[in-house]
Amino acid sequence: MELHDVWFVLIAVLWTGYFFLEGFDFGVGILTKLLARNRPERRVLINTIGPVWDGNEVWLLTAGGATFAAFPEWYATLFSGFYLPLLLILVCLIVRGVAFEYRAKRPEENWQRNWETAIFWTSLLPAFLWGVAFGNIVRGVKLDRNFEYVGTVWDLLNPYALLGGLVTLTLFTFHGAVFTALKTVGEIRVRARKLALWVGLVATVVALAFLLWTQADSGDGKSLVALIVAGVALVAALVANQAGREGWSFALSGLTIVAAVAMLFLSLFPNVMPSTLNGDWSLTVTNASSSPYTLKIMTWCAAIATPLVLLYQGWTYWVFRQRIGTQHIAPDAAAGAAH
């Protein structure tokens, strides 16, 4: 296996980790409007991800940085062609981070409600737009002979990509509902499990439609295996949720996301961005990669740093593993950062 192939796999792993972790993160943000009935319950939801949301976003920064260093042509075409949707995602992530930190800085009702509304929308929009973006990457876009995107932003809003957006939105919301049931106690835990069932059923329908479409267009034997794993894991997650086995349900919903993302990258390889105008104009792991020397240095750096990052993040989740509920929210605590 060549180093550019290795880095394609590593970037796929980084995106998979990001969607696994930020998926339930976005889902919890969406649930602040769909599940929580009052301010204490919204605070419970926000506090479940308070210690980890910023660490989850590190996976996005690492995936973007790795793409820039390992496949600069891919990075340049992606960020120029998808400029508007990626800019909107970036703005949402910035506002979302500010909302988490500033929501409880003042006790006024309007102040906190406005920031909570910002958390909802800046969780929902990226959850949808990431699916649209990856749907276009797998489907292919209008690239000319110079590997430049020559389409418009409206070309990105095609039926396949929009369906991909619905997949990530519903899967992340389901993942977040299962995570909420795993991390909370009391009535909110019970309602999270009920909501997870209905959201999970919708996610099952749209996800299977999208993955089967992907398999029909560009799949092979390996992607078919990933599709089967994703489908079985999602159904099993719903069964575990109904049985009250929240740990198993969360693991299986995470496996669904992992298998689905793996299927997309398996369907994409050896391309990194296909051209719908001419197959010879597609960006591949070969013509989009950096020099072998650059990839070699990056491999050594990743081999040293990655285990340390994984150990630290794992330790963070272990420290904040306890369930919380409204009884843990001080009634007179009108301010205070999520923790």
Side-chain angles (χ1 to χ4, degrees), residues 7 11 15 61-76 78-79 288-290 294-295 298:
W7 273 97
I11 289 172
W15 279 110
L61 299 176
T62 308
T67 304
F68 172 77
F71 300 99
E73 193 74 50
W74 183 16
Y75 181 93
L78 177 64
F79 278 78
S289 69
S290 293
T294 299
L295 295 178
M298 289 174 58

Coordinates of all heavy atoms in Angstrom, one line a residue, residues 7 11 15 61-76 78-79 288-290 294-295 298:
W7 N -2.8 7.5 3.7 CA -3.4 8.8 4.2 C -4.8 8.9 3.8 O -5.6 9.6 4.5 CB -2.5 9.9 3.8 CG -1.4 10.1 4.8 CD1 -0.1 9.7 4.7 CD2 -1.5 10.8 6.0 NE1 0.6 10.0 5.8 CE2 -0.3 10.7 6.7 CE3 -2.6 11.5 6.7 CZ2 -0.1 11.2 7.9 CZ3 -2.4 12.0 7.9 CH2 -1.1 11.9 8.5
I11 N -7.4 9.7 6.8 CA -8.4 10.8 6.7 C -9.8 10.3 6.8 O -10.7 10.9 7.5 CB -8.2 11.6 5.4 CG1 -6.9 12.4 5.4 CG2 -9.4 12.5 5.1 CD1 -6.5 13.0 4.1
W15 N -12.5 11.5 9.7 CA -13.9 11.9 9.5 C -14.8 11.0 10.2 O -15.9 11.5 10.7 CB -14.1 12.0 8.0 CG -13.6 13.2 7.3 CD1 -12.6 13.3 6.4 CD2 -14.1 14.5 7.5 NE1 -12.4 14.6 6.1 CE2 -13.3 15.4 6.7 CE3 -15.2 15.1 8.2 CZ2 -13.6 16.8 6.6 CZ3 -15.4 16.5 8.2 CH2 -14.6 17.3 7.3
L61 N -10.7 19.6 13.0 CA -9.5 20.4 12.7 C -8.4 19.5 12.2 O -7.7 19.8 11.2 CB -9.0 21.1 13.9 CG -10.0 22.2 14.5 CD1 -9.4 22.7 15.8 CD2 -10.3 23.3 13.5
T62 N -8.3 18.3 12.8 CA -7.3 17.3 12.4 C -7.5 16.8 11.0 O -6.6 16.6 10.1 CB -7.2 16.2 13.4 OG1 -7.0 16.7 14.7 CG2 -6.0 15.3 13.1
A63 N -8.8 16.5 10.7 CA -9.2 16.0 9.4 C -8.9 17.0 8.3 O -8.4 16.7 7.2 CB -10.6 15.6 9.3
G64 N -9.2 18.3 8.6 CA -9.0 19.4 7.6 C -7.5 19.6 7.4 O -7.0 19.7 6.3
G65 N -6.7 19.6 8.5 CA -5.3 19.8 8.4 C -4.6 18.6 7.7 O -3.7 18.8 6.9
A66 N -5.1 17.4 7.9 CA -4.5 16.2 7.3 C -4.8 16.3 5.8 O -3.9 15.9 4.9 CB -5.0 15.0 7.9
T67 N -6.0 16.7 5.4 CA -6.3 16.8 4.0 C -5.5 17.9 3.3 O -5.0 17.7 2.2 CB -7.8 17.2 3.8 OG1 -8.6 16.2 4.5 CG2 -8.2 17.2 2.4
F68 N -5.3 19.0 4.0 CA -4.4 20.1 3.4 C -3.0 19.6 3.2 O -2.4 19.9 2.1 CB -4.5 21.3 4.4 CG -3.5 22.3 4.0 CD1 -3.7 23.2 3.0 CD2 -2.3 22.5 4.7 CE1 -2.8 24.2 2.6 CE2 -1.4 23.5 4.4 CZ -1.6 24.3 3.3
A69 N -2.5 18.9 4.1 CA -1.1 18.4 4.0 C -0.9 17.2 3.1 O 0.1 17.2 2.4 CB -0.5 18.1 5.4
A70 N -1.8 16.3 3.2 CA -1.6 15.0 2.4 C -2.2 15.2 1.0 O -1.6 14.6 0.1 CB -2.3 13.9 3.1
F71 N -3.3 15.9 0.8 CA -3.9 16.0 -0.5 C -4.2 17.5 -0.8 O -5.4 17.9 -0.8 CB -5.2 15.2 -0.6 CG -4.9 13.7 -0.4 CD1 -5.2 13.1 0.9 CD2 -4.5 12.9 -1.4 CE1 -5.0 11.8 1.1 CE2 -4.3 11.5 -1.2 CZ -4.5 11.0 0.0
P72 N -3.2 18.3 -1.0 CA -3.4 19.8 -1.2 C -4.4 20.1 -2.4 O -5.1 21.1 -2.3 CB -2.0 20.3 -1.4 CG -1.2 19.2 -1.8 CD -1.8 18.0 -1.1
E73 N -4.3 19.3 -3.4 CA -5.2 19.6 -4.6 C -6.6 19.3 -4.2 O -7.5 20.1 -4.6 CB -4.8 18.7 -5.8 CG -5.4 19.1 -7.1 CD -4.8 20.4 -7.7 OE1 -3.5 20.5 -7.7 OE2 -5.5 21.3 -8.1
W74 N -6.9 18.3 -3.5 CA -8.2 17.9 -3.0 C -8.7 19.1 -2.1 O -9.8 19.5 -2.2 CB -8.2 16.6 -2.3 CG -9.5 16.1 -1.8 CD1 -10.7 16.6 -2.1 CD2 -9.7 15.1 -0.8 NE1 -11.7 15.8 -1.5 CE2 -11.1 14.9 -0.7 CE3 -8.9 14.2 -0.1 CZ2 -11.7 14.0 0.2 CZ3 -9.4 13.3 0.7 CH2 -10.8 13.2 0.9
Y75 N -7.9 19.5 -1.2 CA -8.2 20.5 -0.2 C -8.6 21.8 -1.0 O -9.6 22.5 -0.7 CB -7.1 20.8 0.7 CG -7.3 21.8 1.8 CD1 -7.8 21.5 3.1 CD2 -7.0 23.2 1.6 CE1 -8.0 22.4 4.0 CE2 -7.2 24.1 2.5 CZ -7.7 23.7 3.8 OH -8.0 24.7 4.7
A76 N -7.8 22.2 -1.9 CA -8.0 23.5 -2.7 C -9.3 23.4 -3.4 O -10.1 24.4 -3.4 CB -6.8 23.7 -3.6
L78 N -11.9 21.4 -2.9 CA -13.0 21.2 -2.0 C -13.4 22.6 -1.4 O -14.6 22.9 -1.4 CB -12.7 20.2 -0.9 CG -13.7 20.0 0.2 CD1 -15.0 19.4 -0.4 CD2 -13.1 19.0 1.2
F79 N -12.4 23.3 -0.9 CA -12.7 24.5 -0.1 C -13.0 25.7 -1.0 O -13.7 26.7 -0.6 CB -11.6 24.9 0.8 CG -11.7 24.1 2.1 CD1 -11.2 22.8 2.2 CD2 -12.2 24.6 3.3 CE1 -11.3 22.0 3.3 CE2 -12.3 23.9 4.4 CZ -11.8 22.6 4.5
A288 N -3.8 14.0 -6.5 CA -4.1 15.0 -5.6 C -3.1 15.0 -4.4 O -3.3 15.9 -3.5 CB -5.5 14.9 -5.1
S289 N -2.2 14.1 -4.3 CA -1.4 13.9 -3.1 C -0.2 14.8 -3.1 O 0.3 15.3 -4.1 CB -1.0 12.4 -2.9 OG -0.1 12.1 -3.9
S290 N 0.4 14.9 -1.9 CA 1.7 15.6 -1.7 C 2.8 14.7 -2.1 O 2.6 13.5 -2.5 CB 1.8 16.0 -0.2 OG 0.9 17.0 0.2
T294 N 6.9 14.3 2.0 CA 5.9 15.0 2.9 C 5.1 14.0 3.6 O 4.8 14.0 4.8 CB 5.1 16.0 2.1 OG1 5.9 17.0 1.5 CG2 4.0 16.6 3.0
L295 N 4.6 13.0 2.9 CA 3.7 12.0 3.5 C 4.5 11.1 4.5 O 3.9 10.7 5.5 CB 3.1 11.1 2.4 CG 2.2 11.8 1.4 CD1 1.7 10.8 0.3 CD2 1.0 12.4 2.0
M298 N 4.8 13.2 7.7 CA 3.4 13.2 8.3 C 3.1 11.9 9.0 O 2.5 11.9 10.1 CB 2.4 13.5 7.3 CG 2.4 14.9 6.7 SD 1.2 15.1 5.4 CE -0.3 14.7 6.2

